[in-house]
Amino acid sequence: MHSRDLIEQYKTYVQDWRRYFHKHPELSNEEFETTKTLAKELESMGVEVHVDIERGTGLIGIIHGAKPGKAIALRADIDALPVQEHNTFDFKSDVDGKMHACGHDGHMAILLGAAKMLTSMKDRIEGDVYLAFQPAEETGAGAPDFMKFDNWFEKIDAIFGGHVWIDLPAGLISVEEGPRMAASSKITIRVKGKQGHGAQPHQAIDAVVVASAIVMNLQTVVSRNVSALDSLVLTIGNIHSGSEWNVIPGEAQMGGTIRFFDPTQEDHYVESIRRVVEHTALAYGATAELIYEKKVPPTINDAAASELAERVVIDTLGKEKLSKMRKVMPGEDFAWYLQDKPGCFAFIGIQNPEVGATFDHHNNRFTMDDSVLSAASAVYAEYAVQWLKENK
């Protein structure tokens, strides 16, 4: 049996699970009930389940094939976001201030669908398929922590995953090689000046003015310190300084992010930012400190893995469903897996204006066309089968 023959059979099954998880969101590292629900469903299929008991969140399911061979993992992230949902459909979030606003509800449903398909195709599986339901993707640290759980990551030889994507029309899938999602890093800038009276600015060193100058000067990092042929985003997302209307604050703090694709340029980017921050402050008689925190590296698809994925999409869904899509600047902690194992990260189209699926990820009205998710399940399942067959 081929996975394409099971798409319609499990269409409602996958849709129902996506809507269940959407209704019951849990935040990063709090996915306790989600983990229990997933474990119970996998066990009902006869799948071997290993729950991360120490943390209480996340699990590995293992499907043993009819024939011996290598091992491949299929991954889904399981956490929601601290977002108040504004949708009104009957499966909207039941939890105030929490919402699956990024599509991880769809990822869990896709992987459950793939598990269903794989358990009915064990005769075609030449090795083991690991089902990795990973917590805390939104923190950027979920994957590195989950890799330490048990020894599942040591045992696998390759990994496949994906993300539902609102910019891609429903039903299309992109599995291109090379950089697909950007590295994501956090920057914190602390400015120290001299507090003073609002009526006597000449006796103070205004941290608000210094911070403002730093923000403006940082714009030149992208425009004048980085090649126009490279991609870099530098965003300051918050500034905090002062508390009174008539007091010149002596301190300010800013938080932001940088996104890029070329890891060999990371040190250059950071030092360029540091130079601008420190010297701008110095020009105003103040000091400033840059704190740099790497969250995730760039997500870079292995060429051979992507080539296989393209063949699988065409074989399973038809050539018209294979799409090319530009790389994107958001980050994804799946990148940590790809630093150690060959693999591919797919984009799964979910955009459909007819069902209101047009709002961006992390928007409080985000939703998806979940009628196409079982087709993605078939691609996941078939990729695992074919990878094991071709990599004995």
Side-chain angles (χ1 to χ4, degrees):
M1 180 180 293
H2 195 287
S3 60
R4 76 170 80 88
D5 303 321
L6 300 171
I7 293 174
E8 284 302 314
Q9 180 178 337
Y10 290 116
K11 180 178 179 179
T12 300
Y13 173 86
V14 176
Q15 278 184 301
D16 287 348
W17 272 115
R18 178 258 159 170
R19 296 180 183 192
Y20 173 86
F21 290 124
H22 191 88
K23 195 172 184 178
H24 301 93
E26 293 181 298
L27 300 182
S28 300
N29 294 313
E30 298 177 3
E31 310 96 329
F32 305 113
E33 293 305 316
T34 300
T35 297
K36 292 176 184 177
T37 299
L38 288 165
K40 183 178 179 181
E41 179 62 15
L42 290 170
E43 287 170 346
S44 74
M45 301 180 202
V47 174
E48 179 183 330
V49 174
H50 300 264
V51 175
D52 188 343
I53 301 298
E54 182 179 345
R55 295 184 179 87
T57 64
L59 63 87
I60 294 292
I62 306 175
I63 299 174
H64 300 285
K67 301 174 184 177
K70 292 186 176 182
I72 185 171
L74 304 176
R75 176 267 204 170
D77 39 15
I78 67 175
D79 53 332
L81 285 160
V83 171
Q84 182 66 45
E85 182 157 15
H86 286 190
N87 289 313
T88 58
F89 40 63
D90 59 5
F91 57 91
K92 69 181 179 67
S93 173
D94 267 354
V95 187
D96 284 343
K98 300 178 184 181
M99 175 190 174
H100 272 293
C102 198
H104 299 185
D105 49 344
H107 302 166
M108 288 185 279
I110 288 169
L111 193 48
L112 284 178
K116 275 282 192 183
M117 295 175 182
L118 287 165
T119 55
S120 63
M121 300 190 303
K122 284 187 177 181
D123 59 311
R124 295 182 59 211
I125 301 175
E126 301 179 38
D128 298 322
V129 181
Y130 283 64
L131 310 170
F133 289 90
Q134 175 215 306
E137 186 278 331
E138 294 292 350
T139 69
D145 287 342
F146 197 54
M147 288 162 67
K148 300 171 187 175
F149 164 52
D150 205 4
N151 60 353
W152 75 273
F153 193 68
E154 298 172 18
K155 289 186 174 182
I156 65 167
D157 300 290
I159 190 164
F160 183 86
H163 206 302
V164 294
W165 207 250
I166 200 64
D167 296 324
L168 199 60
L172 299 184
I173 297 181
S174 168
V175 288
E176 294 169 64
E177 67 174 273
R180 305 305 294 138
M181 300 186 79
S184 173
S185 296
K186 177 182 177 182
I187 58 174
T188 302
I189 301 168
R190 293 174 179 166
V191 176
K192 289 188 177 181
K194 181 181 178 182
Q195 188 168 312
H197 197 294
Q200 301 182 110
H202 61 290
Q203 295 181 2
I205 299 175
D206 193 335
V208 169
V209 171
V210 178
S212 300
I214 289 173
V215 171
M216 296 307 297
N217 287 343
L218 281 175
Q219 308 309 307
T220 64
V221 171
V222 175
S223 66
R224 290 296 179 269
N225 288 265
V226 177
S227 169
L229 300 178
D230 294 333
S231 299
L232 174 68
V233 166
L234 196 171
T235 295
I236 298 299
N238 61 66
I239 302 178
H240 302 281
S241 184
S243 59
E244 302 297 331
W245 65 277
N246 61 348
V247 176
I248 293 173
E251 296 185 355
Q253 180 165 307
M254 295 172 275
T257 184
I258 67 170
R259 307 296 173 101
F260 57 91
F261 292 104
D262 186 353
T264 67
Q265 292 296 307
E266 182 174 13
D267 290 344
H268 170 63
Y269 299 153
V270 175
E271 289 312 307
S272 296
I273 295 168
R274 192 184 309 279
R275 184 184 68 251
V276 169
V277 166
E278 293 178 354
H279 287 255
T280 300
L282 187 62
Y284 285 82
T287 60
E289 175 189 15
L290 172 69
I291 301 168
Y292 181 76
E293 181 182 352
K294 178 186 289 188
K295 290 293 186 180
V296 298
T299 303
I300 303 175
N301 281 347
D302 174 73
S306 292
E307 187 275 331
L308 172 59
E310 289 190 358
R311 285 191 280 117
V312 167
V313 172
I314 292 170
D315 180 49
T316 306
L317 306 180
K319 188 174 182 179
E320 70 279 4
K321 297 300 183 182
L322 181 66
S323 175
K324 298 293 183 182
M325 191 184 106
R326 296 179 68 183
K327 57 190 179 183
V328 296
M329 298 310 292
E332 163 62 58
D333 76 356
F334 189 87
W336 291 111
Y337 300 127
L338 294 179
Q339 291 203 318
D340 294 318
K341 304 285 182 177
C344 178
F345 192 73
F347 289 110
I348 301 150
I350 53 166
Q351 179 194 98
N352 185 350
E354 292 184 6
V355 297
T358 59
F359 294 92
D360 199 10
H361 299 266
H362 293 207
N363 187 285
N364 50 25
R365 292 192 62 190
F366 174 82
T367 190
M368 69 183 75
D369 182 351
D370 53 22
S371 69
V372 302
L373 299 185
S374 64
S377 297
V379 170
Y380 276 52
E382 200 61 32
Y383 184 90
V385 170
Q386 289 300 322
W387 190 93
L388 292 170
K389 181 180 179 180
E390 298 181 18
N391 292 272
K392 297 178 183 178

